[in-house]
Amino acid sequence: QVQLVESGGGLVQPGGSLTLSCAASGLTLDYVIGWFRQAPGKEREGVSCISRSDGSTYYIDSVKDRFTISRDNAKNTVTLQMNSLKPEDTGVYYCAANWVVPLCTTAPRERYYGSWGQGTQVTVSS
């Protein structure tokens, strides 16, 4: 039984920051945690991921140098620090667990992620 719970979403002005957290339970093997987002009227896209085993990370180009993903294996949490937020970052953010591919070397793909959180809303607006 795997459970993922996101927290930290909210309303922020452009240029502001938010920190999203993903608390995981029931994961006993090495795995990858990915962050996805879905903007209104658009398909869900992978944003970033991190491997529990070796700490490898990946960021899509649109968030590089603005977002930072990190892990705390002891607490089974993954954090997405989002800085310099833009209106186009608006969407529902989901964390998900992938135990098929153990490393994070490319943009997260939904097909590899079998467990999902409920999502947390991020709104970037003036």
Side-chain angles (χ1 to χ4, degrees), residues 12-17 83-87 124:
V12 65
Q13 293 183 326
S17 299
N83 298 323
S84 302
L85 284 163
K86 305 174 181 179
V124 185

Side-chain angles (χ1 to χ4, degrees), residues 37-45 90-92 121:
R37 67 186 180 188
Q38 187 166 26
K42 296 185 178 181
E43 296 184 355
R44 187 159 54 191
E45 66 172 344
T90 293
V92 179
Q121 177 71 45

